[in-house]
Amino acid sequence: MLQPLLFAFLFFAFVAARQARLAAAGHAPHHYMNRFKIAKRQSGDANTPLMLTNWCPDSVWPAIDSQGGTGPSNTGFELASGDNQTEYVSSDWQGRVWGRTNCTFSGHGGGSACTTGDCGGLEACQGPGAPPATLAEFTLNGGQQQTFYDLSLVDGYNLPMAIVMLPNSNTDLTTLDPSTTNPSCVASAGNLAPPTFNPYTNSQQFLGTDSNSPLPFDTKITAATISQWCPWDLQVTPPSKPANGAYPYPDTKIPRPAFDPCYSACAKYNTDAYCCTGTADERGKCSPNYYSKAAKQVCPDAYSYAYDDQDSTFVQPTGGGFQMIFCPGGRSTDIIGRKGVGVIEHT
Ligand SMILES: *[C@@H]1O[C@H](CO)[C@@H](O)[C@H](O)[C@H]1NC(C)=O
Ligand SMILES: *[C@@H]1O[C@H](CO)[C@@H](O)[C@H](O)[C@H]1NC(C)=O
């Protein structure tokens, strides 16, 4: 009798201590991005690097939207396959980064210029993009000298993406184990390596890690399941059955395209229950929906719905920069699942 009780007590104490730490850091139990109010500025010390790297076989058009601090000089541009480009933001910057696909800016007639992630048809974005898009979100200084960041599928998924923390010679950060700071989300068939994936043979590095600090990768997703994860009704372009033209619902036998962007249930239906808004805007009143459950399976370290913050927000001392890699390859990381939720809080 004693043991389960003791365990329950320890677990409760752990959760309570964690809540207290998060609250002390100004980290209310909700998507942290909504809780920090950081004023936007036009100019400031923009010396924190955001490196955008494209390992996709096609061009990606990265976009950067600022909610606070000083944004980069270039908020959207073409990044050819294999290229990288570094933009600089202020050390208190808050915002998001995503990749746009299939863009044509000249002569698109004023509507959308990109298939996914479009921002009003502009090349240099002046606001957030259209869902679905995989996001990297940052609050570089959320108070008490702490940086908060995450990968988010809350607005849907378009491209595989990884975040590699750049310590910037900051000793608070160079000492962190990189296998706990660099999450990756790979949910596209063409970009997924087999479950036995090991990038560390021959002393190679991968996403800022090596065999001394190997990233824990998901081992359950297969090539067959990855192409089916997006719920049928949330696909941007669901394939139609050859010959009869009607949408079968759902039909697992119909092959899907390799590039299969996926709306979140919130982005597609915009209901309080799916978006955790209105009467569902409270912890315990908003549960993971069919989309967020599927998203969490393919990308365990990413936000899947608005109250997923306990499992998805990386916290560390300020001073770091970040590299965003589109189509990192390999497999999704499962840092939190395999190492415990505490490892992503470097406080
Ligand atoms: C970025 O691109 C430049 C040239 O395009 C290359 O020399 C450099 O190694 C690249 N850096 C990274 C981190 O990929
Ligand atoms: C759209 O972009 C995706 C991802 O970059 C790519 O796989 C696909 O081939 C592109 N489609 C077209 C029609 O260019």
Side-chain angles (χ1 to χ4, degrees):
M1 276 316 281
L2 194 73
Q3 269 182 349
L5 270 177
L6 185 64
F7 180 79
F9 171 76
L10 286 174
F11 180 75
F12 187 77
F14 169 77
V15 170
R18 187 165 191 280
Q19 294 284 15
R21 278 204 315 284
L22 290 173
H27 187 88
H30 191 280
H31 197 302
Y32 71 89
M33 294 290 284
N34 300 331
R35 300 297 166 179
F36 300 116
K37 294 275 176 268
I38 293 157
K40 258 193 183 183
R41 283 184 278 111
Q42 285 304 313
S43 60
D45 61 324
N47 50 24
T48 299
L50 297 181
M51 180 192 274
L52 292 314
T53 301
N54 181 11
W55 291 356
C56 299
D58 304 295
S59 276
V60 168
W61 286 259
I64 304 172
D65 180 47
S66 302
Q67 275 138 275
T70 304
S73 56
N74 196 343
T75 55
F77 45 86
E78 178 171 5
L79 192 60
S81 175
D83 277 1
N84 63 71
Q85 179 166 328
T86 302
E87 292 293 325
Y88 293 88
V89 296
S90 63
S91 55
D92 65 347
W93 179 75
Q94 181 180 42
R96 45 170 58 176
V97 178
W98 69 98
R100 294 169 290 172
T101 59
N102 317 93
C103 301
T104 309
F105 291 101
S106 56
H108 65 89
S112 270
C114 310
T115 303
T116 59
D118 186 77
C119 57
L122 302 171
E123 181 156 20
C125 292
Q126 293 175 4
T134 314
L135 304 176
E137 304 181 298
F138 300 91
T139 297
L140 292 186
N141 193 349
Q144 309 214 331
Q145 303 299 310
Q146 289 189 330
T147 291
F148 297 75
Y149 63 97
D150 65 72
L151 284 170
S152 172
L153 304 187
V154 173
D155 285 349
Y157 171 90
N158 66 343
L159 290 169
M161 203 193 309
I163 299 178
V164 176
M165 193 270 288
L166 308 172
N168 255 341
S169 313
N170 185 322
T171 47
D172 283 342
L173 301 173
T174 49
T175 50
L176 297 183
D177 177 349
S179 71
T180 63
T181 61
N182 301 347
S184 183
C185 165
V186 179
S188 300
N191 205 230
L192 185 80
T196 54
F197 176 64
N198 174 8
Y200 305 117
T201 50
N202 304 319
S203 320
Q204 297 206 68
Q205 295 208 343
F206 184 67
L207 307 184
T209 61
D210 58 25
S211 58
N212 293 319
S213 55
L215 280 167
F217 297 106
D218 161 79
T219 52
K220 297 185 214 83
I221 297 298
T222 64
T225 54
I226 199 82
S227 63
Q228 302 282 346
W229 79 267
C230 180
W232 188 268
D233 60 317
L234 300 179
Q235 293 174 85
V236 173
T237 49
S240 56
K241 200 170 200 163
N244 74 2
Y247 284 81
Y249 189 87
D251 192 332
T252 50
K253 291 186 202 75
I254 293 184
R256 300 184 183 196
F259 178 61
D260 193 21
C262 188
Y263 290 109
S264 64
C266 169
K268 173 132 188 190
Y269 298 113
N270 200 23
T271 64
D272 283 349
Y274 289 155
C275 299
C276 308
T277 48
T279 53
D281 187 5
E282 208 176 303
R283 182 169 301 286
K285 290 197 176 160
C286 195
S287 339
N289 56 62
Y290 67 115
Y291 164 82
S292 44
K293 285 179 190 161
K296 202 73 187 168
Q297 275 190 349
V298 287
C299 291
D301 286 331
Y303 254 90
S304 60
Y305 74 113
Y307 276 103
D308 203 8
D309 50 325
Q310 305 268 327
D311 280 356
S312 341
T313 307
F314 290 72
V315 188
Q316 65 175 37
T318 54
F322 293 91
Q323 180 182 22
M324 270 59 67
I325 302 176
F326 300 104
C327 304
R331 300 181 62 84
S332 291
T333 55
D334 188 11
I335 297 171
I336 300 153
R338 300 266 294 280
K339 298 189 174 209
V341 79
V343 301
I344 61 172
E345 279 179 41
H346 304 282
T347 57

